[in-house]
Amino acid sequence: MRSLGTSTAASSLVLAAALASAQVLTWDQAYQRATSDLQKLTQDEKIGMVTGVTWMGGPCVGNTYAPQSIPYPSLCLQDGPLSSRFANPITVFPAGINAGATWDRDLIRARGAAMSAEAKGLGVNVQLGPALGALGKIPSAGRNWEGFSSDPYLMGIATGEAIKGMQGSGVQACAKHFLLNEQEHNRETISSNPDDRTLHELYLWPFYDAVKANVASVMCSYNKVHGTWACENDELLNGILKGELGFKGHLISDWNAQHSTVLSANSGLDMTMPGSDFSTPPGSIYWGQNLAAAISNGSVPQSRLDDMVTRVLAGWYLVGQDKDHPPVAFSSWDGGAASVNVTTPAHGDLARTIARDSIVLLKNARKALPLKKPASLAVIGSDAIVNPNGANACPDRGCNNGTLAQGWGSGTGEFPYLVAPLSAIQEKLAGTRTKIVTSTTDDAAAGAEAARAAETAIVFINSDSGEGYITVEGHAGDRNNLDPWHDGNALVQAVARTNRPTIVVVHSVGAILLETILAEPNVVAIVWAGLPGQESGHALTDILFGDTSPSGKLPYTIGKTEADYGAHWTTELVDNFAEGLFIDYRHFDQAGIKPRYEFGFGLSYTTFKYSTLATAVNVAPGPTTGKTIVGGPEDLFDIVGTVSAYVRNSGRVTGAEVAQLYIGYPDSAPSTPPKQLRGFSKINLVPGQSGQAIFELRRRDISYWDVATKKWVVPKGKFKVYVGSSSRDIRLKGSFTV
Ligand SMILES: *[C@@H]1O[C@H](CO)[C@@H](O)[C@H](O)[C@H]1NC(C)=O
Ligand SMILES: *[C@@H]1O[C@H](CO)[C@@H](O)[C@H](O)[C@H]1NC(C)=O
Ligand SMILES: *[C@@H]1O[C@H](CO)[C@@H](O)[C@H](O)[C@H]1NC(C)=O
């Protein structure tokens, strides 16, 4: 087995570029230039720079009016978190949830850098991603897959890497959605009302990382927060984002999420998108001349408009868009054909590497995997092939036909090609003696017949979700349940009952319930491949045939029943976030519920042994005392200690392990989850090799949000330290006292 957990040559080049790249200016330098430009602008020009030109009024999904007095363009804002939407050709990378499942900082950064290198080539100024505003407290919620994880720490680390990669490529990243947009049903009317501690320790947590990474742009969400729309919520925008977190960039509305002229301006909104509603002729134009009038009659101060413009200009300078930024080279409204080809073979290769390293091996009995030259192999299910009508047959990927490689909605891209699992298996087995039998529908009887004609069967099942403006097979964005679609359980049952060893491959947006499938004794292996993007089949065969050992780990929990999660989307117009801090594994741990596959779980073709835990933490208990800088209190990100452990590859093939650090807080921090992820390290090891996992603890990693003083506080007492291979496979335990 070659088994390289590392990147191939071409993606290594992207990686090196991503790690080397850096933004051009500091915020102070960017503000200096912005402030000097501000003096040259007329009032109308200022208004135009913060107002969208209306829906479909320019080539990008969002565009502003260009001023004449300074060399600054009509800003181009384009979706989204895994690709540049509508444009082609473009690389369709694995979804955020797959990037999260790699637990690989370098790959996540390289993905951001490559995506935004393509966006820059197309003339995009602001790329609308990463997505970090749906943490996934509700496992069936429609847009969880656009983000990285249901754990705020993993979401935060991934967010920071993604933004550094994107902005290093000269594109302004836009962290979205701010805040608490946890479901699609009633997203424009529901009010999310978490308590202050839950807000800070879960939902706001990754936005600290975004701001700390100097994100240029943040997008406020559709929903209300404590009864006030997010895009006109003074406490949330001025108080928390620009106050507590020290955000210096600009805040844009989600598309048509603005509801007022004066209140939104005074509450901290800096740019309205797309400048109107979606009707023709456009309605709801809250800014433009209405903002000018509101300034004239004194209800919005001139200083507020000047601040908006300064922030917008500063982001543009920050990433160097005043130099050599290409003009817009495509239109979203005419099929998206770009006048330049921004894709590269290296980006395709990177997409494959990320997809490969995100695959989570959930079950592997009787050493079913990797496949060892079977005489015959049945490949079963409509998810094994590309939709016969084409990979892009449905606008915004709003159907679930053929193999699933991204969800649906605005956070999608046009596949330049899509490597189906079946074609990759055929490619892999070309010239060998293995006979391939196929059944490429979800018909159970036909699937069983194919299985009977082969030695081993691989069954493909899936589960899709997306943004609520499209309903697919009765799912209005959010999923109706966590079962596989298209009667996938019946298909697997029929195949398994032919007594063939049955390998199940799951393409899904998130958790699906596996109990029915696991009840079949012939289901020997389950492979979770998530939403792998354009290189789907190649990444899968890299794992199935053992060229690489699987190294992905679950970025969320797979429960035995949906009720085990204690959270489903609501049709009420208020969500009080009653579960508080206890979402995903925090809830399973607290409630003593055994999950089917726990957060952080994933098998390998090799084994790893842990040893030599060392802990050195040196910090006094108490609150942060530093002044607020970009990202929050100056001392919040101080490194206050390290935990380390050795990991040895004790098996027979090369493989990568994600060593994970969980921390349990002392009782002086009231009702905190039993353990919380606070470090991880992915180490690639050849057989017999050892590596050291070093986890640096920042002050925030051992702090909780004290609602009385409104500060991050390090509690006094004994902290528990857990290092292991998943949130429940703890190999080493220790403690430290502050
Ligand atoms: C000022 O103008 C804005 C925009 O036309 C309007 O919404 C607001 O009601 C006006 N306020 C006053 C006090 O006249
Ligand atoms: C764009 O470039 C890629 C190489 O990255 C090539 O495979 C593809 O055919 C090109 N597409 C077009 C439309 O020119
Ligand atoms: C998707 O599949 C359904 C059911 O087979 C079919 O009716 C529909 O036309 C397909 N749509 C596309 C765009 O392929």
Side-chain angles (χ1 to χ4, degrees):
M1 209 180 298
R2 267 197 297 121
S3 196
L4 301 166
T6 53
S7 328
T8 50
S11 63
S12 299
L13 290 176
V14 183
L15 198 59
L19 298 178
S21 61
Q23 73 191 50
V24 177
L25 298 185
T26 65
W27 279 113
D28 282 348
Q29 292 166 327
Y31 262 66
Q32 268 171 26
R33 299 202 191 174
T35 312
S36 126
D37 281 353
L38 187 70
Q39 319 308 320
K40 303 175 191 149
L41 294 165
T42 68
Q43 185 77 341
D44 274 357
E45 286 175 328
K46 292 178 187 175
I47 298 276
M49 288 171 66
V50 301
T51 302
V53 302
T54 75
W55 179 237
M56 294 178 76
C60 305
V61 298
N63 315 265
T64 56
Y65 297 94
Q68 301 303 310
S69 312
I70 56 170
Y72 174 88
S74 163
L75 206 68
C76 166
L77 301 93
Q78 192 70 9
D79 296 302
L82 62 71
S83 201
S84 290
R85 185 187 182 193
F86 294 130
N88 71 73
I90 198 79
T91 301
V92 172
F93 284 93
I97 199 68
N98 282 66
T102 68
W103 299 61
D104 187 324
R105 290 173 172 83
D106 291 348
L107 283 181
I108 295 168
R109 179 124 157 213
R111 175 179 174 272
M115 266 186 339
S116 289
E118 294 189 7
K120 176 171 176 172
L122 294 170
V124 172
N125 296 99
V126 180
Q127 183 167 8
L128 307 175
L132 50 143
L135 196 54
K137 72 161 183 148
I138 302 165
S140 56
R143 298 185 76 179
N144 298 345
W145 58 271
E146 295 184 45
F148 304 104
S149 174
S150 297
D151 175 86
Y153 179 90
L154 178 52
M155 181 81 105
I157 296 289
T159 289
E161 295 296 345
I163 290 167
K164 285 178 209 152
M166 293 171 75
Q167 297 198 161
S169 287
V171 171
Q172 301 178 58
C174 179
K176 65 180 198 174
H177 303 89
F178 194 75
L179 192 65
L180 301 156
N181 187 174
E182 289 292 326
Q183 65 171 54
E184 287 302 282
H185 281 79
N186 300 322
R187 71 172 177 180
E188 291 172 41
T189 43
I190 197 167
S191 181
S192 296
N193 301 347
D195 64 78
D196 193 37
R197 184 169 172 205
T198 300
L199 177 90
H200 281 80
E201 293 187 23
L202 294 187
Y203 302 95
L204 202 53
W205 181 286
F207 281 93
Y208 279 88
D209 297 275
V211 175
K212 180 76 181 166
N214 291 319
V215 73
S217 180
V218 170
M219 186 193 295
C220 50
S221 55
Y222 285 114
N223 53 290
K224 297 174 182 173
V225 176
H226 290 292
T228 305
W229 269 298
C231 290
E232 54 184 46
N233 193 317
D234 178 62
E235 195 186 334
L236 189 67
L237 307 182
N238 283 331
I240 293 178
L241 182 65
K242 294 180 175 178
E244 283 176 23
L245 271 59
F247 174 58
K248 284 193 166 294
H250 64 267
L251 182 77
I252 69 177
S253 70
D254 203 339
W255 270 230
N256 200 24
Q258 187 188 24
H259 295 270
S260 58
T261 299
V262 173
L263 188 57
S264 61
N266 289 341
S267 299
L269 188 70
D270 298 310
M271 186 188 288
T272 170
M273 277 295 146
S276 69
D277 61 15
F278 299 119
S279 57
T280 327
S284 303
I285 300 177
Y286 289 108
W287 283 4
Q289 286 317 304
N290 287 320
L291 180 56
I295 293 166
S296 302
N297 73 17
S299 39
V300 174
Q302 177 67 37
S303 59
R304 186 65 266 274
L305 175 62
D306 289 348
D307 178 47
M308 293 176 197
V309 173
T310 305
R311 287 169 173 271
V312 168
L313 277 167
W316 185 73
Y317 279 119
L318 185 79
V319 301
Q321 293 185 343
D322 54 319
K323 292 183 205 77
D324 304 330
H325 197 78
V328 177
F330 73 107
S331 167
S332 303
W333 320 117
D334 65 0
S339 58
V340 287
N341 186 349
V342 293
T343 70
T344 69
H347 290 177
D349 196 43
L350 178 66
R352 176 179 181 159
T353 303
I354 296 166
R356 179 193 76 193
D357 288 359
S358 69
I359 289 175
V360 183
L361 181 61
L362 295 176
K363 174 174 176 148
N364 193 18
R366 303 183 221 158
K367 293 212 161 103
L369 291 175
L371 288 167
K372 298 155 203 83
K373 300 196 173 73
S376 54
L377 191 61
V379 179
I380 297 162
S382 67
D383 186 79
I385 59 166
V386 172
N387 179 3
N389 293 318
N392 298 313
C394 302
D396 293 339
R397 311 296 76 79
C399 60
N400 182 10
N401 293 30
T403 196
L404 183 67
Q406 46 182 332
W408 76 75
S410 62
T412 56
E414 302 293 311
F415 288 111
Y417 59 84
L418 173 55
V419 181
L422 175 59
S423 49
I425 291 170
Q426 286 165 334
E427 191 182 311
K428 185 81 193 168
L429 293 175
T432 72
R433 301 169 81 98
T434 304
K435 189 175 110 202
I436 302 175
V437 185
T438 64
S439 171
T440 57
T441 70
D442 299 316
D443 183 82
E449 195 182 317
R452 273 187 220 102
E455 200 173 76
T456 301
I458 309 184
V459 188
F460 289 84
I461 59 174
N462 73 28
S463 175
D464 200 0
S465 75
E467 204 172 342
Y469 67 89
I470 304 176
T471 293
V472 179
E473 300 182 34
H475 303 261
D478 304 319
R479 291 184 285 170
N480 295 336
N481 54 58
L482 300 181
D483 292 324
W485 287 29
H486 306 154
D487 238 343
N489 284 337
L491 181 63
V492 174
Q493 273 175 340
V495 170
R497 288 175 188 181
T498 64
N499 280 331
R500 300 301 185 275
T502 302
I503 295 157
V504 178
V505 177
V506 181
H507 286 123
S508 75
V509 289
I512 69 166
L513 301 180
L514 296 165
E515 300 309 297
T516 306
I517 287 167
L518 285 165
E520 297 298 325
N522 292 316
V523 171
V524 289
I526 302 180
V527 177
W528 182 90
L531 301 173
Q534 68 187 36
E535 285 284 335
S536 171
H538 286 149
L540 184 67
T541 50
D542 286 343
I543 298 295
L544 290 182
F545 293 93
D547 295 304
T548 306
S549 182
S551 64
K553 300 273 190 173
L554 284 178
Y556 52 74
T557 299
I558 297 182
K560 293 181 183 169
T561 71
E562 189 170 357
D564 284 352
Y565 292 89
H568 190 275
W569 46 267
T570 175
T571 53
E572 307 289 316
L573 292 183
V574 171
D575 181 352
N576 286 321
F577 285 52
E579 67 290 329
L581 296 173
F582 300 99
I583 69 164
D584 200 73
Y585 69 89
R586 290 164 167 80
H587 162 69
F588 283 78
D589 286 354
Q590 170 80 1
I593 299 169
K594 197 170 178 330
R596 173 50 65 185
Y597 296 114
E598 71 272 16
F599 177 85
F601 177 78
L603 299 171
S604 168
Y605 294 152
T606 188
T607 51
F608 300 98
K609 287 241 168 9
Y610 284 66
S611 66
T612 332
L613 179 70
T615 302
V617 177
N618 184 8
V619 64
T624 54
T625 52
K627 68 174 194 299
T628 298
I629 59 166
V630 174
E634 203 168 18
D635 45 347
L636 190 61
F637 288 82
D638 285 354
I639 306 294
V640 296
T642 55
V643 172
S644 65
Y646 280 90
V647 180
R648 185 168 67 86
N649 182 339
S650 52
R652 303 184 57 180
V653 297
T654 296
E657 168 72 333
V658 180
Q660 299 160 42
L661 168 69
Y662 295 85
I663 298 282
Y665 281 33
D667 293 339
S668 64
S671 41
T672 305
K675 53 177 136 54
Q676 307 194 79
L677 182 72
R678 288 297 194 251
F680 61 88
S681 174
K682 190 163 191 173
I683 314 176
N684 193 56
L685 297 167
V686 300
Q689 189 186 5
S690 288
Q692 193 181 21
I694 301 173
F695 313 102
E696 288 191 324
L697 287 170
R698 303 162 301 181
R699 183 181 188 99
R700 72 183 302 218
D701 297 329
I702 55 169
S703 295
Y704 74 103
W705 180 254
D706 181 53
V707 294
T709 57
K710 291 194 149 288
K711 281 197 187 308
W712 289 100
V713 172
V714 177
K716 194 175 169 53
K718 187 168 166 183
F719 286 76
K720 300 188 187 83
V721 173
Y722 307 97
V723 172
S725 185
S726 81
S727 64
R728 291 202 167 201
D729 183 3
I730 301 301
R731 308 289 182 86
L732 302 168
K733 285 187 192 174
S735 66
F736 61 87
T737 302
V738 299

